[in-house]
Amino acid sequence: MKKLTRMPPPSQEMLIPANLPAFSGEKALLIATGQQDAIFYLAQNGILKSIDSFLIEAPKYSDREGHFKTRAGGKILHFRAVFEKRKERIITDFIKEFQKRFSAISKKYRFDRLYIYSPSHMHTYIRNALPKAFQKKITMEIEGNHFKTHPLALLKKIHDKSAAKMVTPTSPEEQKIMTHRATPKSVVTASKKKS
């Protein structure tokens, strides 16, 4: 049933504008998916490029109203629309292809962070499709079908969501505490005082 459509070759690299996360000194993998399509972007040191993509085509059927029954020992175990079974099959095919592509990408590119943009019902499928070591690298999950979203718009979503989590100091003392950098000497001194 799986019909894989080849996507156009990855686009040229683009510069990340100064107002967006540039991932200086680290690599980030951005994965934007729908239910049957995915595109992978690599961001590092102010450069963003698409590195892979795929689409699982849905089969064309004229009858969405068909039903099927699963029987065992003369009893009906399942009774549901054929359309639901086809939908599950598309997701299964998508996850298999996703795992294959992700495996190849993770071997070729060593990345530090992972950002996932996918419809809410696909988050669990995608997270579970990743090896445990990469599940720990998930930095942010953003809901929605972002397969066709411009890659710079994806970075803006990271920026906006990160900015919403930032703490803004309300007093000069809080500002001083937040901007103070701990030096190894000050950390040792502070730990000796507690002893």
Side-chain angles (χ1 to χ4, degrees):
M1 176 179 171
K2 177 170 91 169
K3 185 176 179 187
L4 186 66
T5 300
R6 291 278 167 217
M7 300 298 289
S11 65
Q12 297 291 331
E13 293 180 349
M14 64 179 75
L15 290 174
I16 299 172
N19 62 333
L20 296 176
F23 300 101
S24 298
E26 64 180 353
K27 289 182 187 175
L29 183 66
L30 284 64
I31 304 171
T33 80
Q35 181 171 296
Q36 57 199 67
D37 43 23
I39 188 162
F40 301 84
Y41 297 99
L42 188 69
Q44 81 178 95
N45 297 325
I47 304 287
L48 179 69
K49 65 179 178 177
S50 60
I51 54 176
D52 197 6
S53 61
F54 70 92
L55 167 70
I56 303 292
E57 284 190 2
K60 306 283 188 252
Y61 296 101
S62 59
D63 180 18
R64 287 179 55 163
E65 302 302 318
H67 293 83
F68 72 92
K69 298 175 185 177
T70 304
R71 296 177 186 253
K75 295 182 181 178
I76 296 175
L77 301 176
H78 298 284
F79 182 79
R80 56 183 161 166
V82 172
F83 177 70
E84 287 300 315
K85 188 72 173 167
R86 291 178 193 143
K87 188 176 172 183
E88 290 173 15
R89 181 69 181 173
I90 289 169
I91 291 173
T92 301
D93 290 344
F94 168 81
I95 292 301
K96 284 179 184 175
E97 187 64 27
F98 176 86
Q99 286 175 316
K100 185 174 99 178
R101 300 290 180 113
F102 184 85
S103 177
I105 289 168
S106 64
K107 288 175 185 167
K108 186 173 181 179
Y109 304 97
R110 302 279 182 209
F111 52 88
D112 308 296
R113 297 176 180 266
L114 183 57
Y115 295 85
I116 300 173
Y117 306 79
S118 64
S120 58
H121 71 281
M122 293 296 291
H123 278 301
T124 304
Y125 291 111
I126 292 170
R127 194 180 307 109
N128 291 340
L130 297 170
K132 295 274 187 227
F134 292 103
Q135 289 178 12
K136 295 175 184 174
K137 292 186 179 193
I138 297 174
T139 305
M140 193 177 289
E141 293 181 64
I142 298 172
E143 289 186 10
N145 185 338
H146 295 285
F147 177 73
K148 294 182 180 178
T149 303
H150 191 279
L152 293 180
L154 297 177
L155 288 177
K156 180 151 179 22
K157 290 185 179 298
I158 293 172
H159 175 268
D160 294 347
K161 200 167 181 178
S162 297
K165 291 180 180 178
M166 290 179 67
V167 176
T168 307
T170 55
S171 70
E173 188 173 317
E174 288 177 355
Q175 176 68 34
K176 184 178 175 183
I177 291 169
M178 289 181 70
T179 56
H180 175 69
R181 292 182 179 227
T183 61
K185 187 177 180 181
S186 66
V187 172
V188 171
T189 306
S191 64
K192 284 181 181 177
K193 286 180 183 177
K194 288 182 181 179
S195 304

